[in-house]
Short mmCIF file of all heavy atoms in Angstrom, two decimals:
data_model
loop_
_atom_site.label_atom_id
_atom_site.label_comp_id
_atom_site.label_asym_id
_atom_site.label_seq_id
_atom_site.Cartn_x
_atom_site.Cartn_y
_atom_site.Cartn_z
N MET A 30 -16.17 5.82 13.13
CA MET A 30 -15.33 4.71 12.71
C MET A 30 -15.28 4.66 11.17
O MET A 30 -16.30 4.72 10.48
CB MET A 30 -15.87 3.46 13.27
CG MET A 30 -14.97 2.17 12.84
SD MET A 30 -15.59 0.69 13.56
CE MET A 30 -14.38 -0.50 12.87
N ILE A 31 -14.10 4.66 10.64
CA ILE A 31 -13.91 4.62 9.15
C ILE A 31 -13.66 3.21 8.72
O ILE A 31 -12.74 2.55 9.29
CB ILE A 31 -12.92 5.54 8.71
CG1 ILE A 31 -13.18 6.94 9.23
CG2 ILE A 31 -12.75 5.51 7.19
CD1 ILE A 31 -12.11 8.00 8.87
N ILE A 32 -14.30 2.72 7.72
CA ILE A 32 -14.13 1.35 7.20
C ILE A 32 -13.60 1.48 5.78
O ILE A 32 -14.11 2.18 4.99
CB ILE A 32 -15.47 0.56 7.22
CG1 ILE A 32 -15.94 0.46 8.62
CG2 ILE A 32 -15.18 -0.84 6.70
CD1 ILE A 32 -17.29 -0.15 8.76
N PHE A 33 -12.48 0.69 5.52
CA PHE A 33 -11.98 0.58 4.14
C PHE A 33 -12.23 -0.83 3.66
O PHE A 33 -11.35 -1.72 3.89
CB PHE A 33 -10.53 0.91 4.16
CG PHE A 33 -10.23 2.34 4.66
CD1 PHE A 33 -9.97 2.56 6.00
CD2 PHE A 33 -10.29 3.46 3.81
CE1 PHE A 33 -9.73 3.82 6.53
CE2 PHE A 33 -10.02 4.70 4.26
CZ PHE A 33 -9.80 4.91 5.63
N PRO A 34 -13.25 -1.06 2.98
CA PRO A 34 -13.64 -2.47 2.56
C PRO A 34 -12.69 -3.03 1.59
O PRO A 34 -12.33 -4.18 1.57
CB PRO A 34 -14.96 -2.28 1.97
CG PRO A 34 -15.13 -0.91 1.57
CD PRO A 34 -14.30 -0.12 2.59
N VAL A 35 -12.19 -2.17 0.64
CA VAL A 35 -11.32 -2.62 -0.39
C VAL A 35 -10.03 -1.74 -0.47
O VAL A 35 -10.22 -0.55 -0.69
CB VAL A 35 -11.93 -2.72 -1.78
CG1 VAL A 35 -11.03 -3.16 -2.81
CG2 VAL A 35 -13.25 -3.62 -1.69
N GLY A 36 -8.82 -2.35 -0.37
CA GLY A 36 -7.66 -1.55 -0.45
C GLY A 36 -7.38 -1.30 -1.95
O GLY A 36 -7.37 -2.15 -2.74
N LYS A 37 -7.09 0.00 -2.29
CA LYS A 37 -6.64 0.32 -3.64
C LYS A 37 -5.62 1.46 -3.66
O LYS A 37 -5.79 2.46 -2.95
CB LYS A 37 -7.81 0.77 -4.41
CG LYS A 37 -7.45 1.04 -5.91
CD LYS A 37 -8.71 1.45 -6.66
CE LYS A 37 -8.36 1.72 -8.10
NZ LYS A 37 -9.57 2.04 -8.98
N CYS A 38 -4.49 1.13 -4.14
CA CYS A 38 -3.34 2.16 -4.14
C CYS A 38 -3.77 3.38 -4.94
O CYS A 38 -4.21 3.31 -6.15
CB CYS A 38 -2.11 1.53 -4.72
SG CYS A 38 -0.71 2.65 -4.72
N LYS A 39 -3.66 4.52 -4.30
CA LYS A 39 -3.98 5.77 -5.02
C LYS A 39 -3.02 6.16 -6.03
O LYS A 39 -3.22 7.04 -6.78
CB LYS A 39 -4.17 6.89 -3.91
CG LYS A 39 -2.87 7.18 -3.21
CD LYS A 39 -3.04 8.17 -2.10
CE LYS A 39 -1.83 8.48 -1.31
NZ LYS A 39 -2.06 9.44 -0.23
N VAL A 40 -1.82 5.53 -6.01
CA VAL A 40 -0.85 5.91 -7.07
C VAL A 40 -0.86 4.99 -8.24
O VAL A 40 -0.97 5.43 -9.34
CB VAL A 40 0.56 5.76 -6.41
CG1 VAL A 40 1.72 6.20 -7.37
CG2 VAL A 40 0.70 6.79 -5.15
N CYS A 41 -0.76 3.71 -8.02
CA CYS A 41 -0.75 2.80 -9.17
C CYS A 41 -2.07 2.00 -9.39
O CYS A 41 -2.30 1.38 -10.39
CB CYS A 41 0.37 1.72 -8.98
SG CYS A 41 0.18 0.61 -7.67
N GLY A 42 -2.94 2.09 -8.37
CA GLY A 42 -4.29 1.53 -8.59
C GLY A 42 -4.33 0.04 -8.32
O GLY A 42 -5.35 -0.64 -8.59
N CYS A 43 -3.24 -0.56 -7.75
CA CYS A 43 -3.27 -1.98 -7.46
C CYS A 43 -4.23 -2.23 -6.20
O CYS A 43 -4.49 -1.37 -5.46
CB CYS A 43 -1.92 -2.49 -7.16
SG CYS A 43 -1.14 -1.96 -5.58
N THR A 44 -4.66 -3.46 -6.12
CA THR A 44 -5.61 -3.82 -5.07
C THR A 44 -5.09 -5.12 -4.36
O THR A 44 -4.12 -5.70 -4.73
CB THR A 44 -7.05 -4.06 -5.55
OG1 THR A 44 -6.96 -5.17 -6.40
CG2 THR A 44 -7.51 -2.81 -6.32
N ASP A 45 -5.90 -5.51 -3.32
CA ASP A 45 -5.56 -6.79 -2.66
C ASP A 45 -5.53 -7.95 -3.62
O ASP A 45 -4.77 -8.88 -3.47
CB ASP A 45 -6.54 -7.07 -1.54
CG ASP A 45 -6.28 -6.21 -0.33
OD1 ASP A 45 -5.06 -5.90 0.01
OD2 ASP A 45 -7.24 -5.70 0.27
N ASN A 46 -6.43 -7.86 -4.62
CA ASN A 46 -6.55 -8.97 -5.53
C ASN A 46 -5.63 -8.80 -6.77
O ASN A 46 -5.51 -9.71 -7.64
CB ASN A 46 -7.99 -9.13 -5.97
CG ASN A 46 -8.85 -9.58 -4.82
OD1 ASN A 46 -8.45 -10.32 -3.96
ND2 ASN A 46 -10.12 -9.10 -4.81
N ASN A 47 -5.00 -7.68 -6.89
CA ASN A 47 -4.20 -7.41 -8.09
C ASN A 47 -3.03 -6.65 -7.65
O ASN A 47 -2.88 -5.44 -8.08
CB ASN A 47 -5.00 -6.67 -9.18
CG ASN A 47 -4.20 -6.55 -10.38
OD1 ASN A 47 -3.42 -7.42 -10.77
ND2 ASN A 47 -4.53 -5.52 -11.14
N ALA A 48 -2.18 -7.19 -6.77
CA ALA A 48 -0.94 -6.48 -6.33
C ALA A 48 0.05 -6.38 -7.37
O ALA A 48 0.21 -7.28 -8.19
CB ALA A 48 -0.47 -7.26 -5.07
N CYS A 49 0.75 -5.26 -7.40
CA CYS A 49 1.85 -5.14 -8.32
C CYS A 49 3.04 -5.93 -7.75
O CYS A 49 3.26 -6.05 -6.45
CB CYS A 49 2.15 -3.71 -8.59
SG CYS A 49 2.39 -2.65 -7.14
N VAL A 50 3.94 -6.39 -8.64
CA VAL A 50 5.04 -7.24 -8.19
C VAL A 50 6.28 -6.59 -8.70
O VAL A 50 6.47 -6.26 -9.95
CB VAL A 50 4.92 -8.61 -8.76
CG1 VAL A 50 6.10 -9.47 -8.26
CG2 VAL A 50 3.63 -9.31 -8.30
N ASN A 51 7.34 -6.46 -7.83
CA ASN A 51 8.61 -5.97 -8.29
C ASN A 51 9.64 -6.99 -7.87
O ASN A 51 9.31 -8.12 -7.49
CB ASN A 51 8.83 -4.58 -7.74
CG ASN A 51 8.80 -4.59 -6.18
OD1 ASN A 51 8.99 -5.60 -5.58
ND2 ASN A 51 8.57 -3.46 -5.58
N GLU A 52 10.94 -6.62 -7.91
CA GLU A 52 12.04 -7.51 -7.55
C GLU A 52 11.91 -7.99 -6.13
O GLU A 52 12.52 -9.04 -5.76
CB GLU A 52 13.34 -6.74 -7.77
CG GLU A 52 13.48 -5.49 -6.96
CD GLU A 52 14.72 -4.74 -7.32
OE1 GLU A 52 15.76 -5.38 -7.28
OE2 GLU A 52 14.68 -3.55 -7.67
N TYR A 53 11.15 -7.29 -5.27
CA TYR A 53 11.10 -7.74 -3.92
C TYR A 53 9.85 -8.58 -3.68
O TYR A 53 9.56 -9.06 -2.55
CB TYR A 53 10.93 -6.49 -3.01
CG TYR A 53 12.15 -5.61 -3.13
CD1 TYR A 53 12.09 -4.36 -3.73
CD2 TYR A 53 13.46 -6.04 -2.67
CE1 TYR A 53 13.15 -3.49 -3.94
CE2 TYR A 53 14.55 -5.18 -2.87
CZ TYR A 53 14.40 -3.90 -3.44
OH TYR A 53 15.46 -3.10 -3.53
N GLY A 54 9.09 -8.79 -4.75
CA GLY A 54 7.86 -9.59 -4.63
C GLY A 54 6.65 -8.77 -4.64
O GLY A 54 6.72 -7.53 -4.91
N PRO A 55 5.49 -9.34 -4.38
CA PRO A 55 4.18 -8.63 -4.28
C PRO A 55 4.23 -7.38 -3.34
O PRO A 55 4.89 -7.49 -2.28
CB PRO A 55 3.17 -9.62 -3.89
CG PRO A 55 3.82 -10.91 -4.17
CD PRO A 55 5.28 -10.70 -3.90
N CYS A 56 3.62 -6.38 -3.71
CA CYS A 56 3.65 -5.23 -2.78
C CYS A 56 2.74 -5.43 -1.57
O CYS A 56 1.96 -6.37 -1.58
CB CYS A 56 3.09 -3.94 -3.54
SG CYS A 56 1.39 -4.09 -4.02
N SER A 57 2.91 -4.57 -0.64
CA SER A 57 2.04 -4.63 0.58
C SER A 57 1.65 -3.20 0.98
O SER A 57 2.27 -2.26 0.55
CB SER A 57 2.82 -5.29 1.79
OG SER A 57 3.97 -4.60 2.02
N TRP A 58 0.60 -3.15 1.85
CA TRP A 58 0.06 -1.82 2.21
C TRP A 58 1.19 -1.15 3.17
O TRP A 58 1.70 -1.73 4.08
CB TRP A 58 -1.20 -1.93 2.83
CG TRP A 58 -2.23 -2.53 1.86
CD1 TRP A 58 -2.97 -3.63 2.12
CD2 TRP A 58 -2.59 -2.03 0.58
NE1 TRP A 58 -3.69 -3.87 0.97
CE2 TRP A 58 -3.53 -2.83 0.06
CE3 TRP A 58 -2.24 -0.85 -0.16
CZ2 TRP A 58 -4.13 -2.64 -1.18
CZ3 TRP A 58 -2.90 -0.58 -1.39
CH2 TRP A 58 -3.81 -1.53 -1.89
N MET A 59 1.28 0.13 2.96
CA MET A 59 2.22 0.89 3.73
C MET A 59 1.48 1.77 4.81
O MET A 59 2.10 2.51 5.59
CB MET A 59 3.08 1.77 2.85
CG MET A 59 3.94 0.94 1.93
SD MET A 59 4.98 -0.17 2.74
CE MET A 59 6.17 0.96 3.52
N ASN A 60 0.24 1.77 4.79
CA ASN A 60 -0.57 2.54 5.80
C ASN A 60 -1.84 1.81 6.10
O ASN A 60 -2.32 0.87 5.48
CB ASN A 60 -0.84 3.96 5.21
CG ASN A 60 -1.58 3.96 3.96
OD1 ASN A 60 -2.14 2.89 3.57
ND2 ASN A 60 -1.75 5.11 3.35
N GLU A 61 -2.48 2.38 7.21
CA GLU A 61 -3.68 1.71 7.66
C GLU A 61 -4.83 1.85 6.66
O GLU A 61 -5.83 1.12 6.64
CB GLU A 61 -4.07 2.21 8.98
CG GLU A 61 -3.10 1.94 10.07
CD GLU A 61 -3.38 2.45 11.47
OE1 GLU A 61 -4.25 3.44 11.50
OE2 GLU A 61 -2.87 1.95 12.41
N GLU A 62 -4.79 2.91 5.87
CA GLU A 62 -5.82 3.22 4.93
C GLU A 62 -5.84 2.32 3.76
O GLU A 62 -6.76 2.27 2.98
CB GLU A 62 -5.73 4.65 4.48
CG GLU A 62 -6.20 5.71 5.54
CD GLU A 62 -5.02 5.82 6.60
OE1 GLU A 62 -3.88 5.42 6.29
OE2 GLU A 62 -5.30 6.45 7.65
N HIS A 63 -4.74 1.66 3.58
CA HIS A 63 -4.57 0.74 2.40
C HIS A 63 -4.78 1.47 1.12
O HIS A 63 -5.48 1.03 0.25
CB HIS A 63 -5.57 -0.46 2.47
CG HIS A 63 -5.19 -1.47 3.57
ND1 HIS A 63 -5.75 -2.71 3.70
CD2 HIS A 63 -4.24 -1.35 4.48
CE1 HIS A 63 -5.21 -3.33 4.70
NE2 HIS A 63 -4.31 -2.56 5.28
N ASP A 64 -4.16 2.67 1.00
CA ASP A 64 -4.29 3.38 -0.26
C ASP A 64 -2.90 3.81 -0.73
O ASP A 64 -2.76 4.63 -1.63
CB ASP A 64 -5.18 4.62 -0.16
CG ASP A 64 -4.64 5.60 0.83
OD1 ASP A 64 -3.54 5.38 1.39
OD2 ASP A 64 -5.37 6.67 1.03
N LEU A 65 -1.86 3.14 -0.20
CA LEU A 65 -0.50 3.41 -0.74
C LEU A 65 0.31 2.06 -0.48
O LEU A 65 0.41 1.62 0.63
CB LEU A 65 0.12 4.56 0.09
CG LEU A 65 1.56 4.87 -0.34
CD1 LEU A 65 1.59 5.35 -1.80
CD2 LEU A 65 2.14 5.88 0.56
N CYS A 66 0.77 1.59 -1.57
CA CYS A 66 1.46 0.28 -1.52
C CYS A 66 2.94 0.45 -1.47
O CYS A 66 3.50 1.63 -1.69
CB CYS A 66 1.10 -0.64 -2.68
SG CYS A 66 1.88 -0.18 -4.18
N SER A 67 3.71 -0.53 -1.06
CA SER A 67 5.10 -0.49 -0.79
C SER A 67 5.83 -0.09 -2.10
O SER A 67 6.90 0.46 -2.17
CB SER A 67 5.61 -1.80 -0.23
OG SER A 67 5.29 -2.90 -1.14
N ALA A 68 5.19 -0.49 -3.31
CA ALA A 68 5.94 -0.25 -4.56
C ALA A 68 5.91 1.26 -4.86
O ALA A 68 6.69 1.71 -5.71
CB ALA A 68 5.25 -1.05 -5.61
N CYS A 69 4.98 1.93 -4.28
CA CYS A 69 4.80 3.40 -4.57
C CYS A 69 5.39 4.27 -3.47
O CYS A 69 5.08 5.48 -3.44
CB CYS A 69 3.36 3.70 -4.89
SG CYS A 69 2.76 2.79 -6.34
N THR A 70 6.11 3.67 -2.55
CA THR A 70 6.63 4.38 -1.45
C THR A 70 8.11 4.56 -1.54
O THR A 70 8.77 3.60 -1.63
CB THR A 70 6.28 3.72 -0.18
OG1 THR A 70 4.99 3.39 -0.07
CG2 THR A 70 6.69 4.54 1.10
N SER A 71 8.53 5.80 -1.65
CA SER A 71 9.96 6.07 -1.59
C SER A 71 10.58 5.82 -0.26
O SER A 71 9.90 5.83 0.77
CB SER A 71 10.28 7.43 -2.13
OG SER A 71 9.79 8.37 -1.20
N ASP A 72 11.91 5.64 -0.19
CA ASP A 72 12.54 5.33 0.97
C ASP A 72 12.36 6.44 2.02
O ASP A 72 12.24 6.22 3.21
CB ASP A 72 14.12 5.14 0.79
CG ASP A 72 14.36 3.84 0.00
OD1 ASP A 72 13.41 2.94 0.08
OD2 ASP A 72 15.31 3.76 -0.65
N GLU A 73 12.44 7.73 1.53
CA GLU A 73 12.27 8.86 2.44
C GLU A 73 10.84 8.91 3.06
O GLU A 73 10.68 9.58 4.10
CB GLU A 73 12.62 10.16 1.76
CG GLU A 73 11.82 10.41 0.42
CD GLU A 73 12.26 11.62 -0.24
OE1 GLU A 73 12.29 12.66 0.50
OE2 GLU A 73 12.55 11.50 -1.39
N GLN A 74 9.95 8.34 2.36
CA GLN A 74 8.53 8.39 2.87
C GLN A 74 8.19 7.08 3.65
O GLN A 74 7.10 7.02 4.23
CB GLN A 74 7.53 8.60 1.77
CG GLN A 74 7.68 9.99 1.16
CD GLN A 74 6.69 10.16 -0.04
OE1 GLN A 74 6.48 9.24 -0.84
NE2 GLN A 74 6.08 11.30 -0.05
N ALA A 75 9.06 6.14 3.51
CA ALA A 75 8.70 4.85 4.12
C ALA A 75 8.50 4.92 5.62
O ALA A 75 9.34 5.51 6.36
CB ALA A 75 9.82 3.85 3.79
N GLU A 76 7.34 4.40 5.99
CA GLU A 76 7.11 4.44 7.39
C GLU A 76 6.26 3.23 7.73
O GLU A 76 5.01 3.23 7.51
CB GLU A 76 6.41 5.74 7.87
CG GLU A 76 6.26 5.86 9.32
CD GLU A 76 5.63 7.25 9.70
OE1 GLU A 76 5.66 8.11 8.86
OE2 GLU A 76 5.25 7.32 10.86
N LYS A 77 6.89 2.22 8.21
CA LYS A 77 6.19 0.93 8.37
C LYS A 77 5.07 1.06 9.44
O LYS A 77 5.37 1.65 10.56
CB LYS A 77 7.19 -0.18 8.70
CG LYS A 77 8.00 -0.56 7.48
CD LYS A 77 8.70 -1.90 7.79
CE LYS A 77 9.46 -2.36 6.54
NZ LYS A 77 10.16 -3.64 6.72
N VAL A 78 3.99 0.46 9.19
CA VAL A 78 2.90 0.39 10.18
C VAL A 78 2.67 -1.06 10.44
O VAL A 78 2.17 -1.83 9.57
CB VAL A 78 1.64 1.10 9.57
CG1 VAL A 78 0.54 1.00 10.66
CG2 VAL A 78 1.87 2.52 9.23
N GLU A 79 3.07 -1.36 11.60
CA GLU A 79 2.78 -2.89 11.96
C GLU A 79 1.44 -3.07 12.45
O GLU A 79 0.95 -2.23 13.23
CB GLU A 79 3.83 -3.25 13.06
CG GLU A 79 5.31 -3.09 12.59
CD GLU A 79 5.58 -4.01 11.40
OE1 GLU A 79 4.82 -5.03 11.37
OE2 GLU A 79 6.40 -3.80 10.68
ZN1 LIG B 114 1.02 1.41 -5.66
ZN1 LIG B 115 1.08 -2.08 -5.43
#
C-alpha cells in the first residue's frame, strides 16, 4: 500500500496548502498520486479521476 501524506505538484510545486490559482479558480489534483494539478495538465492529457 502506497501512502501519499502530502500532495505536491511535480510540475509547479503547489501543494494542498498552497494551490495555484488561475482564471478557473484554485487548482485541483488530476491524479490519485496528487503530484499533478489541473493547472499543469494540458487538455490532451486531461483525464479526470473521480
Ligand atoms: Zn501544478
Ligand atoms: Zn497547482
Side-chain angles (χ1 to χ4, degrees):
M30 180 176 180
I31 303 174
I32 302 175
F33 300 93
V35 178
K37 182 177 181 179
C38 181
K39 61 185 176 183
V40 179
C41 67
C43 71
T44 65
D45 284 321
N46 294 326
N47 187 28
C49 49
V50 181
N51 59 21
E52 58 186 305
Y53 303 109
C56 66
S57 58
W58 300 120
M59 296 304 291
N60 59 9
E61 294 180 340
E62 287 77 14
H63 288 190
D64 62 359
L65 181 63
C66 77
S67 57
C69 299
T70 307
S71 64
D72 291 337
E73 55 186 306
Q74 292 179 318
E76 187 173 344
K77 288 191 176 183
V78 177
E79 297 298 336

